[in-house]
Amino acid sequence: MTLTQLKQELNSEQYKAVTTTKGALLIIAGAGSGKTRVITYRIAYMLSSGIPQSQILALTFTNKAAREMEERIKEKTQKKLQNLTVSTFHAFGVKILRADIDKLGWRTNFSIYDEVDRNQLIKDTGRELGFTSDALDVYKIGNLFSNIKCGRWNWESQNDMYRELYNGYQEGLQLYNAVDFDDLIALPIKLFKEHPEVLQKYRDRYKYIMVDEFQDTSLQQYEIMHLLADENIAVVGDDDQSIYSWRGANYENILTFEKDFKNVTEIRLEQNYRSTETILAAANGVISHNTNRKDKALWSGNGNGKPIEIYMPENETAEADFIAECIQGMCMSEKRNYDDFGVLIRANTLSRHIEEAFLECDIPYTMSGGTSFFQRKEIKDVISYMRVCANHDDDINLLRIINTPRRGIGRKVIETLNTIANTKQCSLWGAIETVLKERKGDYSTIDLPTSSLNPNTKNKETDSSLQNETTSQSFDLFGHAEASFTQKLTSKALDSLDEFYTLITSQREALLKAGKHLSKCVREMVDKINYWDYLVGEYKKSEKAARYKWMNIEYLCKSIEVWEKNPDNLETGLYTYLNRITIISQDNNDDDSLKGKVNLMTIHASKGLEFPVVFIAGCEEGIIPHARSIEDQGEEGVEEERRLFYVAITRARDKLFISACQKRRKMQNTVDCVPSPFLDEIPEQLVMYHEPAKEVDKATAQNIFASMKKKFALPEDMKPN
């Protein structure tokens, strides 16, 4: 890529950002200013300048952004780039831990707990410590643990009662060879600080580092970057789009960067290529009311465009109908596709009426931010049983189900199994087999160190850690090791392990022979493990919740039945099904699933996206700015909510609609609503208040109907009513 090509394809500031590859660089990239283009061209330019791809590390925040960045670079360079590292912070953390987490006491095949798994471990740990159900608010406790682990909060008198629970939770993670999402950042930092040779390995490799969405980095993410960076470090961000303080983002990292690195070059990208001048002027008018920001003057060359339409419907039902009717009308009159529309809401709770209106009007849509069916705890439990039946040595799934439902296999039992697995270099299933064979007096498969086979041959110079494992053993007259492992377990624990072993073995045989009757076998397995009784015990206060989760399991079984009865499926069975759902889980995140559908999402989820037409729904005081954000953070909360509104406005390319209800139903009451104060911050010359559409004349109606017949291939002789 030559400098001449770059000058032809980039504006002057973009060109400077792309070609400045040495030293510390701060790129302030306003909304729609071609940030991704600059990052792509910059890496392509570095590669064409002779910098090895293995020396470049590009970090961003979402898998989608990382994937898009990597694809664009490959397209630009026409190279495979197998040694280029483009990653999210958390995926990079996983990479570091997979290589060296054993130095911190985990095994390298650790599992990553999601929120469901984390909450369950908090519950189980709390029960073991004697916490009552009322004291176990897992959402509140999980949030506390996250803030403690990430260094945002310290232990204080009002939360000190959970310190023992936190320690037990941490011990539980290590016992189950698991990490939570926060650990993916916290543990690499711990690893770098306690093992400088590991840090040096990465510093020696990555000589050029680039961080995207820098305003969204947390203090810990900044620390990782600061530890790794030598002198060639470029960060790209926009303080006006910092909207994630609730998960630790700190836009002041931009100021810290300028202090920590010498001779920082600052470049501002201020030309917006996305939105019309009207939309951009509205966004500038709103964000100018924030005080803690770098001044910038975004401008657009896309023409004035249409005014912003504000609508004040009577209630949320009328608001939803308005959005659905506008989308249908614009699809017809302006020949737009459904995926041209983005409908943005402040919180998921606002989606119901909009979804109902879309369903009533047959408008296809996708909703971002919901929990995947296969991520629900009850479904994960059942599938984990299936995975362990398919592969006994799957430690991750075995640990998930070994005491679910509870069968008396607690932490001490698992600690013993871990010790055996480490000693014998086997899986946890192998450890279970070992103790059960010892119990029956079968020593033929117990591979202990040779120095332990006979007390007369014991080497006094043996490593002390090995002696601790072997000297406590006793031996029979023939020199065989007696049941040293089983002595560490109670008779009740051994009975429970035997019961679990027998259950999995029998279910494995049934599932593998199932053929086209897998769904029936899964139902029988769920009954065998008494999962309904487990749900009732877990949800003592709400049988409705237990029944809802049981219905999800029934839905899973029904979906398996439909799949295996499909005549197009030539191959069915346990392994085929497990492979299939793994692929489905990946495909759910595929961009192709969004094509041809209206995008209904929270404003947070819309970050980085753009749509020709955007609706911002629920622009009322208490919703945006959100009452809880103001209550928790005061003026800082107001400024972040304003940044959130700014992000929402700047998702629109051609047309923006904003709606604020006059009344809204909250709980069992209907309350009067006040429009968001942010609406007053939009310059009034940019705004037009929406009036309901008037009945069209006959000629227009005939034209619209003719378009409908053509689009839906209706008979030519069909006439409008």
Side-chain angles (χ1 to χ4, degrees), residues 18 35 40 56 67 72 138 146 158 223 243 247 273 283 318 394 397 445 495 502 590 667 710:
V18 166
K35 171 176 66 70
T40 302
I56 300 172
R67 200 164 54 241
R72 285 199 192 185
V138 291
S146 179
Q158 62 264 38
E223 188 173 4
I243 58 174
R247 71 179 189 195
Y273 291 90
D394 184 341
N397 282 291
T445 60
D495 287 343
T502 302
D590 194 335
M667 304 298 285
K710 185 176 180 181

Side-chain angles (χ1 to χ4, degrees), residues 322-344 358 363-366 594 596-601 609-616 651-653 655-657 711:
F322 159 73
I323 293 171
E325 288 165 9
C326 279
I327 290 173
Q328 284 184 315
M330 294 176 78
C331 281
M332 194 60 58
S333 63
E334 300 179 18
K335 305 292 189 294
R336 292 194 180 274
N337 299 317
Y338 284 124
D339 53 14
D340 286 341
F341 298 91
V343 182
L344 311 185
F358 286 170
I363 295 175
Y365 71 95
T366 180
L594 306 181
K597 300 178 183 179
V598 174
N599 296 271
L600 173 59
M601 59 182 61
L609 303 177
E610 59 181 67
F611 305 98
V613 183
V614 165
F615 294 83
I616 308 176
R651 298 312 95 195
R653 294 211 307 253
K655 181 68 179 172
L656 176 63
F657 294 88
K711 182 173 182 178

Side-chain angles (χ1 to χ4, degrees), residues 11-41:
N11 67 38
S12 59
E13 293 304 302
Q14 290 175 333
Y15 175 83
K16 185 179 178 183
V18 166
T19 56
T20 305
T21 59
K22 299 292 184 181
L25 178 64
L26 171 61
I27 303 171
I28 302 295
S33 61
K35 171 176 66 70
T36 305
R37 181 182 178 85
V38 166
I39 294 171
T40 302
Y41 274 68

Side-chain angles (χ1 to χ4, degrees), residues 390-410:
N391 174 17
H392 286 159
D393 296 323
D394 184 341
D395 283 357
I396 292 171
N397 282 291
L398 186 142
L399 282 170
R400 180 178 186 88
I401 62 170
I402 194 169
N403 203 38
T404 302
R406 277 180 285 281
R407 49 176 63 92
I409 303 175

Side-chain angles (χ1 to χ4, degrees), residues 188-354:
I189 293 174
K190 180 180 173 68
L191 188 61
F192 286 165
K193 290 182 174 179
E194 294 182 3
H195 299 274
E197 74 282 2
V198 176
L199 173 60
Q200 194 58 47
K201 176 175 66 174
Y202 289 96
R203 283 177 64 88
D204 289 343
R205 174 173 178 179
Y206 297 115
K207 297 297 186 182
Y208 297 85
I209 297 176
M210 176 174 278
V211 180
D212 186 20
E213 301 288 7
F214 186 60
Q215 77 282 345
D216 291 332
T217 52
S218 67
L219 292 173
Q220 285 193 325
Q221 287 163 338
Y222 181 89
E223 188 173 4
I224 281 187
M225 180 210 77
H226 193 203
L227 286 166
L228 287 171
D230 186 6
E231 55 182 22
N232 302 320
I233 170 76
V235 298
V236 187
D238 178 10
D239 53 344
D240 286 339
Q241 297 186 68
S242 179
I243 58 174
Y244 293 109
S245 68
W246 49 274
R247 71 179 189 195
N250 185 359
Y251 67 90
E252 292 184 352
N253 282 345
I254 292 175
L255 301 176
T256 307
F257 179 81
E258 293 175 304
K259 294 175 185 175
D260 285 346
F261 292 89
K262 297 177 182 178
N263 303 318
V264 174
T265 300
E266 182 178 312
I267 299 171
R268 300 190 181 201
L269 308 180
E270 296 178 316
Q271 181 177 356
N272 177 286
Y273 291 90
R274 176 189 299 156
S275 306
T276 64
E277 290 177 8
T278 296
I279 291 169
L280 197 57
N284 286 337
V286 170
I287 202 63
S288 65
H289 288 77
N290 272 8
T291 55
N292 296 319
R293 62 185 292 264
K294 281 181 173 285
D295 288 331
K296 55 187 78 70
L298 293 187
W299 59 279
S300 170
N302 295 338
N304 287 329
K306 298 177 182 178
I308 294 166
E309 290 192 42
I310 296 179
Y311 182 48
M312 304 286 189
E314 181 182 351
N315 54 35
E316 58 266 54
T317 302
E319 178 182 53
D321 291 342
F322 159 73
I323 293 171
E325 288 165 9
C326 279
I327 290 173
Q328 284 184 315
M330 294 176 78
C331 281
M332 194 60 58
S333 63
E334 300 179 18
K335 305 292 189 294
R336 292 194 180 274
N337 299 317
Y338 284 124
D339 53 14
D340 286 341
F341 298 91
V343 182
L344 311 185
I345 52 180
R346 175 61 182 85
N348 277 322
T349 52
L350 299 177
S351 73
R352 185 168 69 87
H353 289 89
I354 299 171

